[in-house]
Amino acid sequence: MIVTPQSMSFSQPLALRSGASIRDYSLAFETYGTLNADRSNAVLICHALNASHHVAGSYAGQPDSEGWWDTMIGPGKPVDTDRFFVIGVNNLGSCFGSTGPMHVNPDTGKVYGADFPVVTVEDWVDAQARLLDAMGIERLAAVMGGSLGGMQALSWTLQYPRRVRHGVVIASAPNLTAENIAFNEVARRAIVTDPDFHGGNFYEHGVVPKRGLRIARMIGHITYLSDDVMNEKFGRRLRSAVAEAGNAPDGVDLRYSTQEIEFQIESYLRYQGDKFSEYFDANTYLLITRALDYFDPALQYEGNLAKALARATARFLLVSFSTDWRFAPRRSRELVKGLLDNGRDLSYAEIDAPHGHDAFLLEDPRYLGTVRSYFERIGQEIGS
Amino acid sequence: MIVTPQSMSFSQPLALRSGASIRDYSLAFETYGTLNADRSNAVLICHALNASHHVAGSYAGQPDSEGWWDTMIGPGKPVDTDRFFVIGVNNLGSCFGSTGPMHVNPDTGKVYGADFPVVTVEDWVDAQARLLDAMGIERLAAVMGGSLGGMQALSWTLQYPRRVRHGVVIASAPNLTAENIAFNEVARRAIVTDPDFHGGNFYEHGVVPKRGLRIARMIGHITYLSDDVMNEKFGRRLRSAVAEAGNAPDGVDLRYSTQEIEFQIESYLRYQGDKFSEYFDANTYLLITRALDYFDPALQYEGNLAKALARATARFLLVSFSTDWRFAPRRSRELVKGLLDNGRDLSYAEIDAPHGHDAFLLEDPRYLGTVRSYFERIGQEIGS
């Protein structure tokens, strides 16, 4: 499936939860499949921290440019673009095409940098709703996302209950735990205290706070993987091939160094950190982790999640993964309970998968089969 | 109990596992209680990353200077200094009095800095054994430690089996998992990439890589606490008192900031990081986390832990804590199984405690009671 990114500009100010507003912004998006005559087969995909509007397919002439959820979405795939019109949109504040901190603030004529307004999950949903308005889509067959994307999908069902038939919330949570916030905070401190951050205005200094971004990404990667899969993939294996082949059983091949790489897991993390620091925007990292921290639909209901979810009228598919310790199954069960307390119609699958939080992006037949079945049901409902 | 730190110098070179050696070093230590006539009541306490020889009691005129395991050790306490002669020793490479990276290398006349040799758990045990030699203690009633200290206690029973009656190994593991190493590596990268680290020779630049130390400590603190206790202590509570008191149920008291503190957990972590960066040495942090990474007594036995433990002749008390995800109970159970496979005499207590890895330093009546009973048995054995 060859796809082409698009962009839409919005001149009217969008009021944000912080009290600020943003105007003259644009959203990058992609669509796959065909909107049917009664405009009932649209599926919106919401992305997590490090993803974009490029959800599925490849760009012409770039065979390795598959979208981040290409296993899930495309012709004949679980979310079948032969039946559904699928929309991916890059969120405000991100760094893959939509207006973000690296763009010019129309109020000042200068690059936003640290002055880019704080955006919340709710703000993103509002911006996505405007995009759908412009596309003439009144009601979504489904809104779907994993992790932070799942929070957006959930928030859609609360902010625009009548515009959503189905909410598909994968590897997500009703809010972050203290530990989740703690990991975000360490990553942010690593970025903010990098001397190359310059208070968020590093663009004008011609530098990038790569040290901080590397640390942030390394922390992220640890929390995306399960302890088990890390042990299986890396264990205590040394980077040196000799020891790896078992030829150095007495440990003679150890380097005894505090700074050189000794274990394969170190090599992996450094590589992931380096790669990330080459392309990800530091201010975007702060904004997106903060949106995660702030998301808490029960806050206005004295922490009563069932009350917060009472607004939702959609039907739901929720999925969690047994070894996900970032957004553990018990967090999805909180959502299940809150929805059941309101008598909502839902399906819940707890997938026994070894990969931790990352599992939501991987090919697991039970997982993909569950989503496929659910979307077949949606297709039948809307006659698509 | 008023205590006084002591120091002992060693001129003879100590051969290290790396192949290097260290000479003209000194060890800071403290002792509590009285060595009995047949020198049979000595208990060695081994410390973890951020602790020292100051295990128990207080310094004269400094009532708030209690040792790090003062709940455990002292007159009438579980390790009763009215019966036992307890020794605390600061490890080589640490920053609390023993020779470390901030001291002068006798070979060069310059501060060691990054040139301080890599030290292993086994090297520390060798250095501790020399200290005991100098004190005229041939055999320990017990060697005891938690976390990295537990690794040293275990290693004592393998390196000097005839010198140890009892090994008390608390909240420890036979080696680090890939995830454990990963957290250490991120912390080390934060320190090493801090521009103030200067390749480990920051002393001569008159600076300290505080940014890196702060990040390292924040990561550490997350892994010391359980998710549950973090939720209980901090949850999603905001730093602002108004919101905390429940007067801002609609979230109006949110600051909507990516850099200011919003949640109490952020405030806690920043405080811990700041405090740590004021006193802990960056090179010591690298050395001690590396000693953790390297510890793996089964390495020479093709990963067969039971074979590795066959050398031990001591009796053992092992303790783990249910919510410790850094050194989880299953890691202690690996040790239990390896010892039982060799027919060793051991007691194992898995304490149901909410505090995570930190539990080994806290007052829990079942935990302290277990250790008390075990040391009463040791006391009876040696007639002390």
Side-chain angles (χ1 to χ4, degrees), chain A residues 185 227 262 270 294 330, chain B residues 185 227 262 270 294 330:
Chain A
E185 171 69 0
D227 190 23
E262 190 79 277
R270 288 198 199 179
Y294 281 131
R330 67 183 164 80
Chain B
E185 170 68 0
D227 190 24
E262 189 80 276
R270 289 198 199 179
Y294 280 131
R330 66 183 165 81

Side-chain angles (χ1 to χ4, degrees), chain A residues 341-363:
Chain A
D341 285 347
N342 286 294
R344 293 291 168 271
D345 179 351
L346 68 87
S347 302
Y348 174 53
E350 208 166 292
I351 307 284
D352 189 13
H355 308 95
H357 189 59
D358 254 7
F360 91 86
L361 294 168
L362 302 177
E363 269 190 279

